[in-house]
Amino acid sequence: MGLVDHLPRAALGHFPTPLEPAPRLGAALGGPQILIKRDDLSGLSVGGSKTRIFEFVLGDAKAQGATAVIASAGEQSNKLRELAAGANRLGMHPILLLTGVTGPRQLTGNRLLFEILGAEVHTTPIADRFDPALVAELDRLCTAAAAAGHQPYLVYHPGKTGTLGTAAYVSAAEELVAQFAGLDRAPTHLFLATGAAPTTAGLVLGFRTLGLELGITGVSVASPHDASQAHTIAYANRCAELLGIDRRIGAADFAIDDTQRADFSLPATRAVIEAIELFARTEGVLLEPTYTGKAAAGMIAAIRRGAFKPTDTVVFVHTGGLPGLFAHVEEFGY
């Protein structure tokens, strides 16, 4: 029995996702062998890491009899896109609160897909997900959904749903361990984007619980090092309690690289644009500037400064987010 098999789960995606060699990328960097874990091919809407997460979160919602799901995030949120798509697949009504919205509606990227998916969309100028005023707005939407005859389920990652999202990537760690067993040499390091941190936390907890000691670097997309590290540890250890795992995670179990972090409102850096172009022009794999482009830039910088030997194998976890690319067209300067 797997570590998470006792949790409710909705079948929303195509798993296991591929673990693909990237020989042209590796050759272009003159460094280690590179493999790409293609969670961008998870299957729900245009795929991404949130498909795996919502199998568990919406599985819990369905088990509780929910008929509407409510969540908040930014206008280009991949989480909200996957939530709306997953809710539709399960016959639930998606209600989205877009945060940090102060200007007119711009129907680009994920924001366009919210409309195509038929989500009920609300906006607020509040940007901080921990702001009590934002929590009050979410509570108001839950109350309104109940008054309209729905059984609402709130997706708020600082709460239980973040812990379930972490469990989803414990499952992903189990999936990767099975894929690693078929390789001719064991991976020595793994890179991924770290935002709110459940994805990173789940992989760290899963690998360490299963006894894998490969290096893990979460490339923080927005938060300073210490905050990103603290969030990862907190999610991992809350999830360990949920799953009945004795292992606890600490700072020595993973690394955070915050050299690529930037406010989401800022244009992409030259390093991020170069990383996106390099992945596309060597392997035909598309990244985006907010999450995966930053993670790739962090990995590329580590390879170029000689952090790995040619005999090493590095795994890049592609967490998706393609629609967000189309909200950054002008930054590429073509």
Side-chain angles (χ1 to χ4, degrees), residues 22-303:
R24 285 178 52 81
L25 176 61
L29 292 170
Q33 179 186 62
I34 297 173
L35 304 173
I36 304 176
K37 177 58 171 170
R38 298 295 304 273
D39 266 19
D40 60 314
L41 302 180
S42 57
L44 183 63
S45 66
V46 297
S49 60
K50 300 304 188 290
T51 298
R52 196 183 288 275
I53 285 172
F54 284 126
E55 285 207 339
F56 286 79
V57 172
L58 293 181
D60 184 64
K62 200 71 175 176
Q64 294 190 32
T67 62
V69 289
I70 297 105
S72 64
E75 277 192 285
Q76 288 300 327
S77 168
N78 300 302
K79 177 184 84 173
L80 295 186
R81 166 179 48 85
E82 295 288 87
L83 175 67
N88 287 349
R89 181 82 63 86
L90 297 173
M92 294 186 280
H93 179 52
I95 302 171
L96 312 180
L97 177 61
L98 308 186
T99 59
V101 178
T102 57
R105 185 175 69 163
Q106 299 290 328
L107 289 182
T108 60
N110 281 310
R111 182 66 182 85
L112 171 63
L113 297 183
F114 301 155
E115 300 295 331
I116 292 173
L117 289 163
E120 179 183 327
V121 177
H122 302 264
T123 64
T124 176
I126 303 167
D128 182 359
R129 66 193 177 105
F130 296 105
D131 191 325
L134 179 63
V135 177
E137 281 290 292
L138 290 168
D139 287 342
R140 182 185 62 78
L141 290 174
C142 288
T143 299
H150 285 294
Q151 177 66 39
Y153 182 95
L154 177 61
V155 177
Y156 184 59
H157 275 4
K160 178 187 178 183
T161 55
T163 308
L164 289 171
T166 304
Y169 269 84
V170 172
S171 176
E174 293 182 292
E175 182 178 299
L176 276 164
V177 167
Q179 292 175 318
F180 293 168
L183 301 175
D184 58 358
R185 59 190 194 190
T188 50
H189 209 93
L190 179 144
F191 283 86
L192 77 160
T194 300
T199 301
T200 304
L203 287 175
V204 173
L205 176 62
F207 285 137
R208 300 310 182 230
T209 300
L210 295 168
L212 264 74
E213 295 304 321
L214 81 166
I216 302 170
T217 297
V219 180
S220 180
V221 300
S223 299
H225 175 278
D226 290 356
S228 189
Q229 181 185 78
H231 291 153
T232 302
I233 291 170
Y235 275 122
N237 290 333
R238 284 200 296 268
C239 185
E241 291 180 11
L242 174 71
L243 299 179
I245 292 172
D246 291 334
R247 179 69 153 85
R248 291 296 180 268
I249 297 304
D253 288 304
F254 65 102
I256 292 292
D257 171 7
D258 69 351
T259 61
Q260 308 298 326
R261 71 183 180 92
D263 188 275
F264 292 159
S265 64
L266 296 176
T269 65
R270 185 61 239 168
V272 169
I273 296 294
E274 181 195 7
I276 292 170
E277 291 175 338
L278 186 59
F279 268 65
R281 294 172 186 182
T282 57
E283 300 295 341
V285 172
L286 296 175
L287 309 178
E288 48 71 46
T290 306
Y291 295 94
T292 54
K294 292 174 183 173
M299 180 187 74
I300 289 167
I303 292 171

